């Protein structure tokens, strides 16, 4: 049966109209179901949304201190390896490992008989040199006395010259008068001859006196020369005494080296020989110390400070030592005692030393622990909060924290400072009176109603 085109077209239009009517009805129903409920409509009308429970803390006053935490090794403040200066047999040893000793205590003695004899010989030489000095001093005194006697002889000879000269003048005048009388034939010529003999004798006596003066002067010069020589001999003798004293002192020093004494109060940590062993001196190849002593009342903790903290380390900086081997005991120190002021180029660290009193001897060489150096004090005007309380950060020092205002949450922009991983410093935008949201039971944002679970105090810092 054939269908006409006109009737087929009419049927298609009817089907499309029916579908359109059905789709329109469904669309009206969906729009009606999706329309939001107004206030007071629906099953939850009149029920308040519950507040989010939050845990809050109050910021801690003060900024974060800059600290450097590094391992530290305990060393004795003083220690010494005691060697023998002389070779000999170990005759006595009064201590052993662990012995407590006082400064100056005798620890050991070395037998060196030849050194004892050397001291005796040098002492005898010194006595002989001192005796020679006394002998030469006597020679000086004798020479000075002889010189004085010679000077007196010179004076006496000069006096005799004056006396003989006067007598010669007298005889010369007598001879002149007698010659005048002989010219007048008042006396016989033989009388003149006698007077001339007297004059010549007086003249010779004067000449002899003058020679005596010369001889006495020579004797005086000789005596003064003897004084000079005696004084030179005295200086030589005194120099010999000095040499003898030095040799004796050296021998006594070497003999004293046979007695080993403790250089300070401490403990013996090493003993290398037994009584009867031959001890070779250090300058003759003895490379092993006889004993080792360490001072224990004061110890030194060595810390290698890394490069980033080196510029901040100064003598006197506070330092705290914790020794795990002693149950985590905390030792208060005298602070940084010394620093090398130079880095090790291999490790890029600087050696820093901290002296620690050790009156009970609990600290021992080789122990190690944690040393906390306080390098900088935090700003007094800042506060600090747990790092987890910061909800956002931007740039290098900008961030935000949430606080409770009344019963709602408010987000505050803050200026951040140092962060040690536990706490973060807030330089501005927050006060110690604020309640900072630390945790919440649900999502919170500005304006969210909250209930404070319990206002917590400041969180303990690092």
């Amino acid at each position: 049966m054939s269908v006409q085109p006109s009737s087929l077209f009419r049927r298609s239009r009817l089907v499309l109209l029916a579908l359109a009517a059905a789709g329109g009805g469904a669309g009206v129903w969906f729009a009606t179901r999706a329309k939001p409920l107004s206030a007071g409509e629906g099953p939850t009308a009149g029920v308040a949304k519950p507040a989010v429970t939050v845990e809050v803390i109050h910021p801690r006053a003060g900024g974060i201190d800059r600290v450097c935490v590094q391992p530290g090794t305990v060393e004795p403040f003083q220690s010494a390896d005691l060697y023998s200066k002389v070779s000999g047999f170990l005759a006595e040893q009064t201590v052993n490992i662990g012995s407590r000793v006082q400064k100056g205590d005798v620890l050991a003695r070395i037998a060196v008989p030849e050194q004892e004899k050397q001291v005796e010989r040098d002492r005898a030489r010194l006595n002989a040199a001192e005796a020679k000095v006394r002998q030469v001093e006597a020679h000086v005194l004798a020479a000075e006395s002889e010189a004085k006697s010679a000077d007196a002889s010179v004076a006496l000879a000069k006096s005799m010259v004056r006396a003989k000269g006067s007598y010669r003048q007298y005889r010369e005048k007598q001879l002149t008068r007698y010659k005048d009388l002989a010219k007048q034939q008042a006396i016989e010529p033989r009388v003149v001859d006698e007077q001339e003999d007297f004059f010549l004798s007086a003249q010779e006596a004067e000449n002899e006196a003058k020679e005596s003066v010369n001889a006495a002067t020579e004797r005086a010069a000789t005596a003064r020369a003897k004084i000079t020589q005696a004084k030179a001999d005295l200086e030589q003798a005194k120099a010999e005494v000095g040499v003898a004293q030095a040799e004796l002192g050296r021998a006594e020093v070497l003999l004293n080296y046979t007695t080993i004494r403790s250089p300070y109060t401490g403990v013996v940590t090493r003993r290398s020989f037994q009584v009867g062993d031959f001890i070779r001196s250090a300058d003759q190849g003895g490379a092993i110390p006889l004993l080792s002593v360490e001072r224990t009342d004061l110890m030194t903790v060595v810390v290698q400070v890394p490069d980033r903290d080196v510029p901040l380390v100064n003598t006197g900086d506070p330092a705290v030592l914790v020794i795990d081997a002693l149950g985590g005991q905390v030792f208060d120190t005298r602070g940084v005692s010394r620093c090398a002021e130079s880095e090790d180029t291999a490790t890029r660290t600087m050696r820093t030393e901290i002296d620690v009193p050790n009156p009970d001897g609990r600290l021992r060489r080789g122990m190690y622990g944690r040393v906390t150096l306080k390098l900088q004090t935090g700003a007094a005007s800042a506060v600090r909060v747990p790092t987890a309380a910061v909800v956002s950060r931007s740039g290098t020092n900008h961030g935000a924290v949430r606080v409770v205002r009344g019963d709602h949450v408010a987000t505050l922009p803050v200026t951040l400072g140092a962060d040690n991983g536990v706490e973060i410093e807030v330089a501005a935008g927050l006060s110690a009176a604020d309640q900072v949201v630390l945790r919440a039971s649900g999502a919170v944002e500005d304006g969210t109603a909250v209930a404070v679970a319990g206002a917590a105090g400041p969180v303990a810092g690092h």
Side-chain angles (χ1 to χ4, degrees):
M1 175 177 175
S2 62
V3 179
Q4 296 296 324
S6 59
S7 61
L8 179 60
F9 177 73
R10 283 194 298 270
R11 289 173 185 166
S12 299
R13 288 185 62 187
L14 290 174
V15 173
L16 290 174
L17 288 173
L19 291 174
V28 171
W29 178 84
F30 179 78
T32 302
R33 297 289 294 173
K35 181 180 178 180
L37 296 175
S38 61
E41 296 180 349
T44 59
V47 179
K49 186 177 181 180
V52 177
T53 302
V54 294
E55 179 182 345
V56 299
I57 58 96
H58 291 291
R60 292 167 56 91
I64 294 178
D65 295 335
R66 174 72 179 271
V67 298
C68 174
V69 181
Q70 297 293 329
T73 302
V74 178
E75 295 183 359
F77 182 74
Q78 290 178 307
S79 62
D81 292 330
L82 307 182
Y83 292 84
S84 174
K85 181 66 175 178
V86 294
S87 298
F89 290 94
L90 183 58
E92 179 184 357
Q93 187 166 260
T94 59
V95 295
N96 209 326
I97 295 175
S99 297
R100 296 283 174 175
V101 295
Q102 299 294 319
K103 182 177 180 179
D105 285 353
V106 175
L107 309 182
R109 296 183 187 277
I110 299 173
V112 188
E114 59 272 22
Q115 192 62 44
E116 296 175 0
K117 294 300 181 181
Q118 182 65 45
V119 170
E120 294 178 2
R121 287 194 297 268
D122 290 341
R123 185 172 288 114
R125 290 172 182 170
L126 176 60
N127 293 336
E130 290 174 343
K132 184 177 180 180
V133 168
R134 294 191 294 270
Q135 183 180 9
V136 176
E137 286 176 344
H139 290 168
V140 171
L141 293 176
E144 289 176 345
S145 298
E146 186 178 348
K148 290 179 180 178
S149 177
D151 290 339
S153 298
V154 171
L156 178 60
K158 290 181 178 179
S159 176
M160 292 299 295
V161 167
R162 290 191 295 272
K164 297 299 182 179
S166 298
Y167 185 69
R168 188 262 309 157
Q169 291 175 358
Y170 166 72
R171 285 300 177 184
E172 186 176 8
K173 292 177 180 178
Q174 282 287 91
L175 178 58
T176 301
R177 287 196 295 270
Y178 275 95
K179 285 183 177 180
D180 290 341
L181 292 173
K183 289 179 180 178
Q184 298 173 8
Q185 297 182 353
I187 58 174
E188 296 180 358
R190 63 179 182 81
V191 177
V192 175
D193 294 338
E194 289 177 358
Q195 293 299 321
E196 190 171 5
D197 289 338
F198 291 152
F199 168 71
L200 293 175
S201 296
Q203 193 175 38
E204 290 298 327
E206 182 183 13
N207 292 335
E208 183 179 356
K210 290 180 179 180
E211 291 297 329
S212 297
V213 170
N214 293 334
T217 301
E218 291 295 332
R219 287 195 297 272
T222 302
R224 284 191 289 274
K226 289 181 178 180
I227 292 175
T228 302
Q229 181 178 359
K231 288 183 177 180
D233 292 342
L234 179 59
E235 292 298 325
Q236 180 181 358
K238 289 181 177 179
E240 291 175 355
V241 168
V243 172
Q245 287 176 336
E247 291 179 350
L248 176 60
R250 179 178 180 275
E252 288 178 338
V253 167
L254 292 176
L255 184 60
N256 289 336
Y257 281 138
T258 62
T259 301
I260 309 299
R261 298 180 181 273
S262 176
Y264 30 72
T265 299
V267 62
V268 176
T269 60
R270 180 176 182 178
R271 185 209 68 233
S272 304
F273 298 94
Q274 299 290 346
V275 173
D277 287 344
F278 180 77
I279 309 300
R280 191 178 299 278
S281 66
D283 57 359
Q284 294 181 356
I288 302 176
L290 183 65
L291 297 165
S292 295
V293 179
E294 294 179 1
R295 179 180 171 182
T296 57
D297 64 321
L298 184 65
M299 306 298 282
T300 296
V301 179
V302 178
V303 179
Q304 301 296 340
V305 176
D307 177 76
R308 62 184 175 83
D309 292 329
V310 165
L312 303 177
V313 177
N314 294 290
T315 301
D317 285 345
V320 176
L321 170 67
V322 178
I323 300 295
D324 292 337
L326 298 178
Q329 181 177 352
V330 178
F331 291 82
D332 290 328
T333 71
R334 299 176 178 178
V336 174
S337 303
R338 291 165 296 279
C339 51
E341 301 292 346
S342 176
E343 290 189 26
D344 184 340
T345 56
T347 61
R348 299 301 177 187
T349 59
M350 181 177 71
R351 181 185 176 97
T352 302
E353 296 183 352
I354 303 162
D355 294 340
V356 184
N358 187 38
D360 56 2
R362 297 199 70 192
L363 289 175
R364 297 178 179 178
R365 182 176 196 166
M367 285 184 171
Y368 63 93
R370 298 184 308 279
V371 178
T372 302
L373 302 177
K374 185 177 180 181
L375 305 180
Q376 283 183 336
T377 302
S381 60
V383 295
R384 55 191 189 275
V385 296
T387 303
V390 178
V391 296
S392 66
R393 299 190 189 191
S394 61
T396 57
N397 60 348
H398 297 290
V401 297
R402 292 192 176 103
V403 298
V404 175
R405 292 282 191 265
D407 57 356
H408 290 79
V409 169
T411 302
L412 299 182
V414 293
T415 302
L416 303 177
D419 185 354
N420 61 17
V422 177
E423 288 184 313
I424 189 168
E425 183 178 272
V426 179
L430 201 63
S431 71
D434 286 323
Q435 290 183 315
V436 178
V437 176
L438 184 61
R439 300 180 187 88
S441 62
V444 294
E445 57 186 13
D446 283 359
T448 301
V450 294
V452 177
V459 176
H462 176 63

